[in-house]
Amino acid sequence: MRLYVLSVYLFLYIPIGIIALFSFNAGRHAAQFTGFSTQWYGKALNNPFVLEALKTSFAVALASALLATICGTLAAIALQGIRGWMRMVYDALIYMAVMVPGIVIGIATLITLVTVFGTLNPLLAAIFGGETPPQLGLGKGSLIAAHGLFTMALVVVIVRARLQGMDRTLLEAAADLGAPPMRSFVQITLPQIAPAVLAGFLLAFTFSFDDFIVAFFVAGSETTLPIYIFSSIRRGVTPEINAIGAMVMAASLVLLIAAQMILRPRKR
Amino acid sequence: MRPALRTTLFLAPATAWLLFMLVLPLLVVVLFSFGERGAAGGYVPAFTLDNYANLSARWTAFRNTILLAPLGTVLCLLIAYPLAYHLAIKADPRWRTILLILVIVPFWTSILIRSYAWIQILGGNGLPRLIAELGLGRPRLINTPFAVLVGIVYGYLPLMVFPIHVALEKIDRRLLEASADLGSPPWRTFLQITLPLSLAGVATGSMLVFILLMGEFLIPQILGGGKVFFVGNALVDLFLQSRNWPFGAAVAATLVLVMLVTVTIYLRAMKRLSGGRDDVSMM
């Protein structure tokens, strides 16, 4: 049994190890290890396309995670006071945002935004006129909106779980002692849900940073890091992709383990 | 601030987001699926069922998905259950949390990079070379259904382990002790107590993996090399290459419909299984 468990962990982590190992390959080909070198890290970090993609990914992940965390936390708090059919509608929508596969979200967002922009752009041109009227198009904005949809739903789920596990007697005590609702919110509710909010933010950031399939449809002319990696893989396997992959994996692993530790610090 | 006003204000941004980025786009997909293709691609308003009647044009993609998604789900289950069992029941409680985190964390890292790793393992200079050196012939592994299945199990195993672990952890240990005290052998305790009480977790894990597999694009693309394609690959082709939006919308709508049916069956089964709570967790 122990042997079985060990082999599953090996199965889970050997491929990650292989990415890291071959990123230090001196040779040009990712398939054969010919010596130790860190040159591919240097190459990756000096590649202007990689840096541009990294900047886009980082900006989109940060913006979408911040917006998703704020909107999601506010919604989770508000949903506590809602019962009946309204609650059912919101539960269904949140559930759908989490469960509908990324590819469908990507497609649906693509055709909707292209159609909406196609209708609005002539209007904008008529209103503003001139040589270069403002134009709406796919890009960072649509990436942020599409990533934020899924991650906001995720934040709602995580924060709500925390709110439900909260000790309500504290709020009642505060009310009995005459604290106004706003004050008991800031002094009692907020500190208690803070770890869930932070963990939600970290997960939202990681999701957006790692997402390929939604971005593939709605990125327009922007290139995120996963889109760059995907198109590089099509051109062949190189140690440079391994170096980029190893760095992305390392960053996600740190963020995720942090999120997990924050979420369940005192179990038992 | 009045509580009702506060609730409305707090909910407003999330509501707007859900309406404009989820409800509206999904309605547009349904609407487009009844439309006609424009001369240069895109969409022309119409009401026709041709797109649905034409679904069989993409039958290979549907067939691959219908065959490999359940197969991948079952493989995940077979590998995940013993692991979840060990973590929840046998493992040292001090290590339990960290071991569980080690299983879950890969799920949240880039599936793109994790699939890429398998190109190196299954590709010509990886495992096949090793097998050839052992004198066992040189099998072709990459760009086969086998490679896609390996990628699927690798990608989705964590998602299967977690709900099963949650279900197993909830089992009252005294039941297991009582069964042993009354002299039933371990296999019987497992079959009559542990397994039935963990079925809810099995159902949740299977449903999550199955649903995500239905829309999978990256694993067949990267490890199937365009030879083993899923509905997801057909969708990418229809929307980004051939730009046949109405037909693509019909394929997407069909996919979502199949998923909804799956979820409904799952919820019914859950009600019968536990008669109680159905907590679906992604974490």
Side-chain angles (χ1 to χ4, degrees):
Chain A
M1 193 68 182
R2 269 168 188 273
L3 197 69
Y4 176 79
V5 172
L6 183 70
S7 48
V8 175
Y9 279 96
L10 287 178
F11 172 66
L12 284 176
Y13 283 92
I14 279 181
I16 296 177
I18 283 186
I19 291 192
L21 178 71
F22 280 93
S23 68
F24 293 111
N25 192 357
R28 286 199 58 73
H29 297 285
Q32 255 176 314
F33 202 81
T34 49
F36 181 87
S37 156
T38 52
Q39 60 158 328
W40 296 105
Y41 285 88
K43 285 217 168 104
L45 291 175
N46 284 313
N47 182 336
F49 296 107
V50 174
L51 292 180
E52 192 56 43
L54 180 67
K55 240 167 61 189
T56 307
S57 278
F58 191 83
V60 167
L62 191 65
S64 74
L66 273 175
L67 284 171
T69 308
I70 294 169
C71 298
T73 305
L74 290 177
I77 292 166
L79 281 173
Q80 283 226 300
I82 290 184
R83 296 276 172 277
W85 67 270
M86 278 260 287
R87 177 61 181 259
M88 275 171 64
V89 169
Y90 275 102
D91 281 352
L93 285 176
I94 303 274
Y95 190 63
M96 264 165 67
V98 176
M99 288 308 296
V100 173
I103 195 163
V104 175
I105 296 282
I107 286 166
T109 310
L110 169 79
I111 59 178
T112 306
L113 290 184
V114 167
T115 310
V116 170
F117 293 162
T119 323
L120 288 183
N121 277 336
L123 275 175
L124 284 177
I127 294 168
F128 289 92
E131 292 285 301
T132 48
Q135 273 230 330
L136 296 168
L138 297 173
K140 288 204 180 77
S142 53
L143 280 169
I144 293 168
H147 282 172
L149 172 75
F150 173 81
T151 53
M152 178 185 71
L154 203 65
V155 171
V156 171
V157 172
I158 295 172
V159 172
R160 200 160 63 179
R162 187 70 168 215
L163 280 168
Q164 279 163 356
M166 218 173 84
D167 193 353
R168 297 205 64 82
T169 50
L170 286 174
L171 286 179
E172 284 158 19
D176 287 349
L177 292 172
M182 205 54 207
R183 184 150 164 208
S184 65
F185 174 73
V186 171
Q187 294 198 330
I188 298 173
T189 311
L190 220 50
Q192 286 205 54
I193 60 170
V197 174
L198 184 57
F201 173 79
L202 291 178
L203 282 177
F205 185 92
T206 324
F207 169 81
S208 168
F209 195 77
D210 282 342
D211 166 73
F212 167 77
I213 193 69
V214 177
F216 196 41
F217 286 100
V218 303
S221 59
E222 297 280 349
T223 303
T224 64
L225 200 54
I227 293 179
Y228 176 81
I229 296 173
F230 180 77
S231 46
S232 305
I233 293 176
R234 284 184 150 177
R235 278 182 261 121
V237 174
T238 67
E240 191 182 343
I241 306 177
N242 283 53
I244 302 167
M247 288 188 278
V248 171
M249 282 298 246
S252 327
L253 286 177
V254 169
L255 285 182
L256 286 162
I257 291 179
Q260 295 281 357
M261 292 293 182
I262 294 167
L263 260 184
R264 49 185 99 210
R266 25 161 197 240
K267 217 181 173 187
R268 262 171 292 264
Chain B
M1 216 184 326
R2 285 200 354 260
L5 181 65
R6 199 188 71 182
T7 302
T8 315
L9 276 179
F10 275 22
L11 265 180
T15 310
W17 210 330
L18 288 166
L19 284 180
F20 286 111
M21 295 303 293
L22 180 72
V23 178
L24 175 70
L26 289 179
L27 288 177
V28 168
V29 167
V30 174
L31 177 73
F32 275 30
S33 74
F34 295 112
E36 273 168 8
R37 185 183 183 207
Y43 162 79
V44 176
F47 184 83
T48 166
L49 290 172
D50 287 356
N51 297 312
Y52 287 96
N54 206 16
L55 280 180
S56 58
R58 295 282 168 164
W59 168 238
T60 326
F62 275 105
R63 191 199 57 201
N64 283 339
T65 312
I66 291 166
L67 286 176
L68 292 178
L71 190 57
T73 309
V74 170
L75 284 175
C76 277
L77 176 60
L78 291 178
I79 296 173
Y81 197 97
L83 179 68
Y85 181 82
H86 181 84
L87 289 184
I89 304 213
K90 300 281 180 202
D92 186 338
R94 276 176 305 168
W95 291 100
R96 205 168 276 162
T97 309
I98 189 81
L99 283 173
L100 187 64
I101 288 177
L102 281 176
V103 176
I104 298 167
V105 155
F107 179 72
W108 283 92
T109 61
S110 165
I111 183 85
L112 173 66
I113 296 169
R114 286 189 299 138
S115 305
Y116 167 74
W118 284 97
I119 300 185
Q120 279 169 301
I121 298 173
L122 299 176
N125 285 313
L127 269 183
R129 190 195 184 92
L130 213 66
I131 294 171
E133 276 167 15
L134 292 172
L136 298 168
R138 202 188 178 95
R140 227 177 72 87
L141 297 178
I142 195 80
N143 300 347
T144 61
F146 169 77
V148 174
L149 279 176
V150 170
I152 285 172
V153 172
Y154 184 63
Y156 290 103
L157 189 65
L159 195 58
M160 186 67 93
V161 172
F162 188 70
I164 299 178
H165 178 271
V166 169
L168 284 168
E169 213 185 21
K170 271 197 232 146
I171 295 177
D172 189 341
R173 297 303 143 92
R174 286 171 302 182
L175 288 173
L176 306 181
E177 285 159 19
S179 167
D181 287 349
L182 293 172
S184 81
W187 61 266
R188 195 156 157 198
T189 305
F190 176 77
L191 282 184
Q192 296 200 331
I193 297 175
T194 315
L195 188 62
L197 286 176
S198 63
L199 278 184
V202 170
T204 304
S206 305
M207 186 208 56
L208 288 175
V209 172
F210 182 73
I211 284 195
L212 287 179
L213 280 182
M214 297 286 295
E216 187 58 50
F217 161 75
L218 268 179
I219 296 173
Q221 176 71 32
I222 291 180
L223 298 174
K227 292 191 180 66
V228 186
F229 45 88
F230 276 32
V231 176
N233 306 70
L235 284 172
V236 167
D237 173 58
L238 285 169
F239 280 96
L240 297 181
Q241 266 101 51
S242 37
R243 278 181 59 82
N244 192 344
W245 287 7
F247 184 44
V251 174
T254 311
L255 188 65
V256 173
L257 190 70
V258 173
M259 285 170 187
L260 285 178
V261 171
T262 313
V263 176
T264 311
I265 294 173
Y266 159 77
L267 290 175
R268 287 263 166 85
M270 283 293 282
K271 220 174 236 173
R272 203 178 296 168
L273 267 178
S274 56
R277 340 173 18 200
D278 49 338
D279 35 7
V280 178
S281 173
M282 293 292 291
M283 277 294 299

